[in-house]
Every structure is written in C-alpha cells, then in structure tokens.
Amino acid sequence: MADVQDADVQDEGIRRRGVAWLVCGRRSKWLMLLLWLVVIVGTAPLAQKLTDAQDNDAQSWLPGSAESTQVLDLSKDFRPETIPAVVIYARDGGLTVADRARIAADARQIKELSDHGLRGAEARGPVFDKKVRPSAAQIHIPVTMDEKGWERIAPAVDSVRERTGTSTGGLAIHITGPGGTSADFSEAFEGIDSTLLLSALGIVIVILLFTYRSPTLLLVPVVSVVAALFTAQALIYLLAEHAGLTVNGQSAGILTVLVFGAGTDYALLLVARYREELRRHEDRHEAMALALHRAGPAVLASGATVVLSMLVLLTAEMNSTRGLGPVAAIGVGVALLAMLTLFPALLVIFGRWIFWPAIPHMGSPEPTEHGVWARTGRRIARRPRVVWGATALALAALSFGLLQLRAEGISNADSFTDKPDSIVGQEVSATYFPAGTGDPLVIVANQDRGARVTRAVATTDGIVRTSIGVPPGTRAEAGGRVLFEATTSDPSDSQAARDTVERVREAVRAVPDADAKVGGGPAALLDMDRATTHDNKLVIPLVLVVVLLILGLLLRALVAPLLLIGTVVLSFAAALGVSALAFRHLFDYAGESTDFPLFVFVFLVALGIDYNIFLTTRIREEAIRQGTRPGVVTGLAATGAVITSAGLVLAGTFAALGTLPMVAFAEIGFAVALGVLLDTFIVRSVLVTALFLDAGPKVWWPHPLSTSDPAPPSAPPPGPSGD
C-alpha cells in the first residue's frame, strides 16, 4: 500500500508542478514549438548535405588494423589510390577484323580520357585472349580514388561507355572489374535516402491511419519524426565534416529506418497513455503531464537501450560497423528527444479534436479493458506453464532453420537482386581470361628482398604467374620498398581466392627481412570476413550485458530481466532460422554476408526489447496496485494494441530496405521485420505474459515486491500450473 500511496503523492506533485510541465504547460508548449521551429529551419539545409559527406571508399569499410588496409596506405607512396575499370569485348566464334579495328579505336580514345579521375594515359590494352583466333579483348582503365572517389566512379564508367558504346551486332561490350562493379553499387545507392524516406513515410502513414483511425492524428507523429530525421541528419553531417565521423551509404540508409521506426514507436506509446489520461482528466495539459510521468521512464529506457546498444558497435573492428554505431545512436537519441518534447507539445496545442472522429472524452470507457488482449491475458492465465512451454518449444523448433544459414559472405554476382552490366561482364571475362583479372593482389615488400618475394608469390598455387608485374603509372621504388601486382586464377570475390591470399601471405612471410604485406581486393574481402567474425563474438555478448543492466535498473529486479533476455535470444534464433529457410527456398539467395547475424541481432535485441520494456513497466505499475498476476493481465490489456501497432510500424520500416536492389539490405530488412513480428505477436504477447503469470511475485526478486505482493483477496487464484 505504501507504493500505491507514493504513486498517488507523485501524481499530485505532477498535477502541481514537474518537469513534464516544461513540455506541455499552458505557455511552455508554445516555447517548445518555437524552439523546434528554429531547429528545423536551421538544420533542414544541412540535412540535405549528408549525402555529400558520405565516405564510401575502401578504408571506410575495411578493418582499420587489417593487412589489406596497411597495404592501401603504403601503396599511396607509389601511386594515387586507384580502382580499375575493365572493358571486356567478346564475340562467339572469334573477333572479326572490324571488331579488332573498333577495339583499337576505342583504346586510343580511352587513353585520352582524364575526366572524373580517369587515368586514360595509364590504360592497358587491348589485351586479347590466347586463342589462335581471339574471341575476347580487355582494356584496363585506372580511376583515381580520392575524397571524391566514390562520386567519381559512376561518371567515370559512364564516360568510358560513351566511347565504347554497348553490345551490338553480336559483339558483347561490358564494363566490369572493381570499377564497373562499384559503379553499379553506386547506382544502387543513388537516391537511397529519398527512396527509404518515401518508403518508410508511406508505411508509417498507412499503419498510423489504420491504428488511430484518424486522418488528423497521424499528422502529428509524422511531422515530429520528419523533424527528428532532419535534425539527426544535420547533426551527423556536421560531425562528419568537422569531427571525423565516418558516414557511408549503409549507415545513412539505416539511419532513416531507425529514426522512423523508433520515433513512431515512442509516439504510439505516448499517445496511448495520453488517451487514457484524457478519459480521466478534463485538463489536457494535466493529462499530458501525467502521461509523460507514467510513460516517460519506459520510453527513456527503450531509447537508452537502443542508443547504448548502438554505441557498443564502437568496439567493432570493421570500420563500417564501427561507424554505424554513433550514427544510429545519434538518430535514435534525437528521435527520443523529439518524441518527448515536440510531439507532446503539438498534441496539447491541437487539443482533443486531433483524435477525431474517436475523441476521448472525460469519463468515457477505456476500450482496452475488454478488448482482444484482455481476453488473451485471461486465457493464458488459466494454464500459463503449458502456454509458455509450448511457445518456447515452437520457437526452438523454428530456430533449427539456422542450419540453412550461409553467413560466409556473398560474391559480387550474388550481391544484387538483379543482374547489372558489371556482373554480366565479369561472367564473360571469366570465360576467356583468368577469373581474377581486373582485381589483383597488391604486394608491398622491402626493395632488397623484392625479387625473392616475387618468386615466392609466383610459385604459390592459385596465382597466374604471367600476371605478376608492376602496374603502369607506379613508381618502381618508394621509401626503400617495392610494389607489384598478381592475379588470382579464381574470381577475386570467391572463397578460393581468399584461400589463395592466405597461401600468398604465408609464402611471403617466409622470406627473411622482407616485411612483405599482401593487400588488394581479394585480401580485403578475407580481412573483412575475419574482422566480422571477431565482431560477432565481441559485440553480441556486450549488447546482451547492456540490455540486461538497463532492464535490471528499470525493473529493480533480477529474475524478470533474465527471463526477458532469454525470450529475446530465443526470438532472435527463431527469426534467423525462418529467414534462412526463406532465403534458401523462397528468395533463392546464394547466402548472407558475414555481418548479417550481427546486424540482425543488434537491431532485434535493441529494438525488440522495447516492447518488453513497454509491457513489463506497465505490469510492474499495475502489480504495485493490484498484485502481480492481475497486473500481468491488466498490463497486457493496456499495452497490447499499442505494442502491436508499434511492431507493425517497425517491421514495415525495416521491410522498406527491401526496396533497394541489394541482397544484403533485403536480407537484413526481411529478418528484422520478421523478428519484430515474432516478438510482437508471440514472444511479448504470449511467452512473456505466460512466464510472468507462472512466476508470479517471484519475478520481481530481489525487490520487496517479490515477497509482499499486494494481490487483493478477491483476485482469482492462479491456474493449475501456478505456484
């Protein structure tokens, strides 16, 4: 009873004064709106510049300490960083005289190109295949990679294509190699921000319209989320320009999804609590103050969980993963701030009419008390142990789909949902030339050991011996070191090429005092796989610890947080299992990137735990008033609808990643959306509810509530599987 009295005293204090009044007071609400208008006007122009601040070169993705990254740095002493584009010509049955004349003319024009970073004067070729009557030819054109390198690639490839034309009259012409593939990736990323913004916005509007059944109310969260997104983008742009924050296309795209998903979730929770208070209080300012007081801790805990979980990514070796951490944390932090300040101020300014046509009036009945979730809770309460046992077994069975998971990296050819020109060209090139042509290994060694290192590389299995040499435009020696290239006989993005990299590294390390290092495209892929494996083992446990600590502090208990962590892990395993089966047998994807499990885990645990926080904080609030088991049923009834809506919004926004023509994004979007739906409809509503009903007051141990449950004498007894 003391807790109940304390709550009543706090409510009275909120009515009279409190931090919430700074947001929703009669005068302060206008000041809050004015402050946000100033912020929006100031940040909107900066937000549009975020794309220009993106750094998508190799070093923004590679692990900072990797050998391939070191070679990338060392090679700058020999030449500007370049990426080769390869023009491949081919005709079945052999090139004609006219074909060879055309190829020679194209080569002359290409060697005159210097726009968009093209180094035409250093172009190599045409190089013909070794047949008596050649059927294919290649021209290699380096493209300079500087701070604008990523932006240059697509225009550079377009400039080359203007000279070569496209396939015609039986002569196949394609632009491939790392440059061609990067250009196609660049095209896929082009407009990613606007594509995801429009997709996420459309999904949010549809779901909010369905949830609120009000064409006016949905405008408030949409405006607030867009304001949060622009503010976050502007802040990240400033940090990228002036504080060295790394932003790439991946993190910028995920930022949009996170801000829309998390921001709308917080809005849904706050609106649900505000609507409850409007039915109990005539003054809407007082109703909002109480809603913020009661829902605020859950929203803050949810936001803190996501922010801290994202910051854990700073411990990752992969630069791309580490860079995502602060970008995502800033986005969610700004969304949290907007939903606790701008959003409630707007709701109070507009008044009750914003809920039209279902306006909550003072004294009107609370529909959740007799809704579907109230009935669900009462059914689960009859035999909670049977319910959670069966549910856990079903989720465990779904997790066996993990046996189908192939998170070992995917090739360039399998990275697109369609088949762009560079991939077609790669297949054509592999028919006539060594499969690794165009994306060689780069070896740097001490000059006085250069000859021995060269012989060691040449005698390594998987290396094309005739390919070894110093690339055009490269200094022969720099700082007492030499640089040369070698082509693998297997495709540069294949596992066989990665195995060759390991053999080459082992061979050159055996040369005394050579200090030889092996980099280049195949080596970078190997180093990325190793770094991601390390990150999986480090980041996932750290995120679990962070979430467990936040839950413990929020619920002031140990048993409940452990139960919730267990349910989230089980939900993650089931989502990954079902996703793996879908990727194999429904979408026919070749595999998953090595960082796929890490990203899915971080997003599912950090965001999925939100719903458990929303539910359990309400259960605890009700348990103080009426006892744990009745509180579970009441908590589920009160939060069921809003959490379901929030889950649909979050699942929908992540599903928007499927609009991008890249397999990695589509897979993350599908798996996270599926995991959120599992968590919303099964884990939170059935498994967690049944576990809490079965455990009863003991779920709050070691808090005194675990031994002094204030259940009223008239409360229904537990089911046969209770204590």
Side-chain angles (χ1 to χ4, degrees):
M1 291 300 295
D3 286 332
V4 177
Q5 292 172 355
D6 289 344
D8 293 338
V9 170
Q10 289 177 1
D11 287 352
E12 182 61 29
I14 292 299
R15 293 187 184 97
R16 296 175 181 270
R17 62 191 180 278
V19 177
W21 286 99
L22 296 176
V23 174
C24 58
R26 297 182 186 278
R27 294 184 180 87
S28 60
K29 65 179 184 287
W30 295 105
L31 178 60
M32 187 59 61
L33 176 60
L34 178 61
L35 288 173
W36 270 100
L37 286 175
V38 172
V39 169
I40 294 169
V41 170
T43 58
L46 296 176
Q48 299 175 14
K49 297 181 179 180
L50 181 58
T51 301
D52 298 332
Q54 291 180 20
D55 183 3
N56 290 291
D57 63 16
Q59 285 178 293
S60 74
W61 296 80
L62 291 173
S65 61
E67 186 170 333
S68 56
T69 308
Q70 296 175 38
V71 171
L72 202 58
D73 290 332
L74 290 170
S75 63
K76 293 176 182 177
D77 295 334
F78 295 85
R79 61 181 180 184
E81 183 184 349
T82 61
I83 183 171
V86 179
V87 184
I88 175 73
Y89 300 84
R91 181 187 290 275
D92 292 338
L95 296 171
T96 65
V97 174
D99 291 338
R100 296 176 70 117
R102 175 177 178 172
I103 294 169
D106 287 352
R108 288 192 295 271
Q109 293 188 54
I110 287 173
K111 290 177 180 180
E112 296 174 357
L113 294 175
S114 60
D115 55 338
H116 308 300
L118 285 164
R119 304 172 68 87
E122 299 172 11
R124 285 180 286 173
V127 177
F128 295 90
D129 67 298
K130 302 300 183 181
K131 296 180 180 179
V132 176
R133 182 184 177 186
S135 297
Q138 287 183 341
I139 303 174
H140 296 235
I141 317 109
V143 182
T144 301
M145 296 292 290
D146 54 17
E147 67 277 0
K148 297 295 183 182
W150 180 265
E151 299 175 21
R152 284 178 166 182
I153 292 176
V157 169
D158 289 340
S159 183
V160 172
R161 187 169 281 118
E162 288 177 4
R163 302 301 191 278
T164 64
T166 57
S167 302
T168 180
L171 178 66
I173 305 174
H174 306 282
I175 302 180
T176 185
T181 304
S182 297
D184 286 330
F185 273 118
S186 178
E187 183 179 346
F189 274 109
E190 186 177 355
I192 183 175
D193 293 337
S194 58
T195 299
L196 286 177
L197 175 61
L198 294 175
S199 300
L201 183 61
I203 290 168
V204 166
I205 288 175
V206 170
I207 295 177
L208 288 181
L209 186 61
F210 175 79
T211 301
Y212 290 150
R213 296 179 177 85
S214 169
T216 50
L217 180 58
L218 69 85
L219 295 177
V220 183
V222 167
V223 168
S224 302
V225 169
V226 172
L229 178 61
F230 286 168
T231 304
Q233 288 176 331
L235 181 58
I236 291 167
Y237 165 75
L238 291 174
L239 292 175
E241 286 291 301
H242 306 292
L245 177 64
T246 299
V247 187
N248 54 36
Q250 180 188 63
S251 56
I254 290 176
L255 170 70
T256 301
V257 171
L258 279 178
V259 171
F260 265 86
T264 308
D265 277 4
Y266 304 149
L268 285 163
L269 180 68
L270 188 57
V271 165
R273 202 59 190 260
Y274 178 47
R275 199 195 311 250
E276 283 186 46
E277 300 302 333
L278 284 175
R279 294 190 173 96
R280 300 169 184 164
H281 305 279
E282 187 66 42
D283 185 352
R284 68 181 187 275
H285 302 85
E286 181 179 321
M288 179 56 78
L290 287 168
L292 283 170
H293 171 65
R294 289 169 175 163
V299 174
L300 282 171
S302 299
T305 302
V306 181
V307 169
L308 293 177
S309 297
M310 295 303 153
L311 290 179
V312 169
L313 295 177
L314 287 170
T315 64
E317 285 190 358
M318 282 289 293
N319 282 346
S320 56
T321 303
R322 188 166 61 248
L324 174 62
V327 170
I330 291 169
V332 174
V334 172
L336 178 65
L337 179 64
M339 292 306 153
L340 289 177
T341 55
L342 174 62
F343 179 62
L346 287 174
L347 284 176
V348 175
I349 287 171
F350 285 118
R352 293 176 187 263
W353 72 265
I354 197 70
F355 288 90
W356 181 88
I359 300 175
H361 296 289
M362 172 74 173
S364 59
E366 176 57 52
T368 60
E369 294 178 358
H370 305 286
V372 62
W373 295 111
R375 295 193 297 272
T376 300
R378 289 192 290 270
R379 291 192 187 101
I380 295 173
R382 296 170 187 167
R383 304 190 69 184
R385 188 167 300 172
V386 172
V387 172
W388 73 253
T391 305
L393 284 174
L395 291 172
L398 293 177
S399 68
F400 277 100
L402 284 168
L403 298 174
Q404 293 286 308
L405 196 67
R406 301 174 187 168
E408 302 170 351
I410 49 179
S411 66
N412 289 332
D414 296 321
S415 296
F416 297 90
T417 55
D418 54 5
K419 196 170 186 178
D421 181 68
S422 63
I423 302 304
V424 177
Q426 179 178 312
E427 294 174 351
V428 172
S429 177
T431 303
Y432 302 99
F433 296 94
T437 299
D439 193 8
L441 297 180
V442 178
I443 299 94
V444 178
N446 289 337
Q447 184 178 9
D448 58 351
R449 294 291 187 271
R452 293 185 62 181
V453 171
T454 301
R455 287 195 296 272
V457 174
T459 56
T460 302
D461 290 342
I463 293 294
V464 180
R465 297 188 61 175
T466 56
S467 69
I468 298 176
V470 178
T474 302
R475 296 173 58 186
E477 179 271 336
R481 302 177 72 87
V482 293
L483 177 147
F484 62 93
E485 295 179 342
T487 298
T488 60
S489 57
D490 299 292
S492 61
D493 55 357
S494 66
Q495 182 58 48
R498 294 180 179 85
D499 294 339
T500 298
V501 172
E502 293 187 291
R503 290 193 294 270
V504 171
R505 284 178 172 173
E506 183 178 349
V508 300
R509 286 173 187 147
V511 179
D513 302 320
D515 191 23
K517 300 183 186 299
V518 180
L525 293 176
L526 173 64
D527 291 339
M528 290 169 68
D529 287 348
R530 288 178 171 173
T532 302
T533 300
H534 165 272
D535 294 345
N536 289 342
K537 295 177 180 178
L538 175 65
V539 174
I540 289 176
L542 284 178
V543 170
L544 285 176
V545 171
V546 167
V547 173
L548 182 62
L549 289 175
I550 292 176
L551 288 174
L553 292 172
L554 179 68
L555 300 176
R556 285 170 278 179
L558 181 59
V559 174
L562 288 173
L563 287 177
L564 294 177
I565 287 292
T567 63
V568 168
V569 171
L570 185 58
S571 175
F572 164 72
L576 223 58
V578 175
S579 297
L581 292 172
F583 298 157
R584 297 292 82 75
H585 306 294
L586 180 61
F587 299 111
D588 196 28
Y589 293 151
E592 295 78 40
S593 61
T594 50
D595 56 11
F596 169 76
L598 174 62
F599 283 141
V600 174
F601 179 86
V602 170
F603 293 138
L604 274 184
V605 172
L607 297 171
I609 203 69
D610 281 3
Y611 308 130
N612 284 329
I613 289 176
F614 296 164
L615 173 63
T616 54
T617 51
R618 185 57 181 266
I619 290 175
R620 191 178 188 280
E621 179 184 334
E622 297 298 333
I624 292 173
R625 299 178 183 276
Q626 57 179 310
T628 298
R629 289 191 172 90
V632 172
V633 177
T634 302
L636 178 62
T639 63
V642 63
I643 291 177
T644 300
S645 300
L648 290 173
V649 167
L650 188 61
T653 52
F654 266 92
L657 290 174
T659 62
L660 303 177
M662 287 170 286
V663 169
F665 277 90
E667 288 179 334
I668 290 174
F670 179 89
V672 174
L674 174 64
V676 168
L677 293 177
L678 280 175
D679 198 66
T680 302
F681 289 98
I682 298 177
V683 175
R684 185 268 313 163
S685 60
V686 179
L687 183 58
V688 171
T689 300
L691 283 169
F692 273 51
L693 283 167
D694 190 19
K698 292 184 293 187
V699 79
W700 309 118
W701 186 88
H703 190 274
L705 188 60
S706 64
T707 57
S708 58
D709 192 43
S714 58
S721 59
D723 290 342

